[in-house]
Amino acid sequence: MLTCGCGRWMHTEGIEEQVCEGGVPQWFVRSECRGCGLRVGVDVPAGQVGGLVDRLMWTDEALHRLDRMPPYLAALVRQEAEEWARARDARVITYDSLLRPPSDERIEWEPEAERRLGKVPPAVRAMAKIELERTAVERGMNVVTVSLMEEVKAKYFGMGAQRT
Ligand SMILES: [Zn+2]
């Protein structure tokens, strides 16, 4: 934790993802003292915030990405990302982590499930894919099935089961 010259803890205000010369990713962490108003910014190598960040934070870039999603999807993505971060004791949610698959494990798709995914509107297809793969992993499955798809669709996307 950063301590201000006035003796109070400093509060993390924001994190910007940057790329410095040489292409090395770094973060610019902004902190403010709510007592005296002093503001400081510190550059750190990406991911190495140590005690600089006082709570779970979204980078400016991750927030921007979230802002551009449809509201129902943003709510889902926000909750998923924060659960993901807490489970790993991570303090920072980055742009990339919003669309990161749940693990390195390769998830297969049933041909019929894959065909149905192709009919999902492009705007939500990427998130639907991630959501389905996450759910499969949580259940210990390594394949996305049509029945899993129906279940997730009803739960998250409010479309209900399609009549066939
Ligand atoms: Zn101060």
Side-chain angles (χ1 to χ4, degrees), residues 4-8 33-38:
C4 180
C6 76
R8 295 181 180 88
C33 171
R34 288 181 175 176
C36 70
L38 180 76

Side-chain angles (χ1 to χ4, degrees), residues 112-113 115-121 146-147 149-155 157-164:
E112 175 62 13
R115 193 185 66 78
R116 290 197 188 194
L117 184 70
K119 292 161 79 177
V120 171
V146 170
S147 62
M149 228 172 167
E150 289 293 331
E151 191 187 323
V152 168
K153 193 166 65 175
K155 185 177 172 192
F157 297 95
M159 295 171 194
Q162 272 179 357
R163 263 174 250 160
T164 48

Side-chain angles (χ1 to χ4, degrees), residues 2 4-5 13 21 26 34 37 41 51 54 57 65 90 95-97 121 123 125 128 135 145 147:
L2 276 182
C4 180
E13 291 295 324
E21 280 177 49
Q26 64 176 25
R34 288 181 175 176
D54 60 4
M57 293 287 296
R65 186 174 212 172
Y95 185 89
D96 285 343
S97 68
R125 191 180 301 151
T135 306
T145 61
S147 62

Side-chain angles (χ1 to χ4, degrees), residues 8-109:
R8 295 181 180 88
W9 295 121
M10 298 199 75
H11 199 72
T12 311
E13 291 295 324
I15 301 167
E16 292 162 38
E17 296 179 50
Q18 301 175 335
V19 177
C20 67
E21 280 177 49
V24 181
Q26 64 176 25
W27 293 349
F28 182 70
V29 182
R30 303 187 308 272
S31 299
E32 180 177 3
C33 171
R34 288 181 175 176
C36 70
L38 180 76
R39 292 178 180 188
V40 297
V42 183
D43 282 317
V44 297
Q48 297 179 34
V49 289
L52 276 179
V53 176
D54 60 4
R55 66 195 184 285
L56 183 60
M57 293 287 296
W58 290 60
T59 65
D60 295 351
E61 289 72 18
L63 283 173
H64 182 64
R65 186 174 212 172
L66 194 69
D67 282 347
R68 284 164 33 217
M69 293 178 183
Y72 72 93
L73 188 62
L76 166 67
V77 170
R78 176 182 286 272
Q79 183 189 342
E80 288 276 334
E82 293 188 348
E83 281 174 8
W84 180 89
R86 287 199 187 94
R88 285 155 189 79
D89 224 8
R91 279 286 171 92
V92 181
I93 295 170
T94 61
Y95 185 89
D96 285 343
S97 68
L98 285 191
L99 289 178
R100 180 155 47 199
S103 70
D104 297 330
E105 202 176 335
R106 175 112 178 86
I107 305 296
E108 302 294 333
W109 284 66

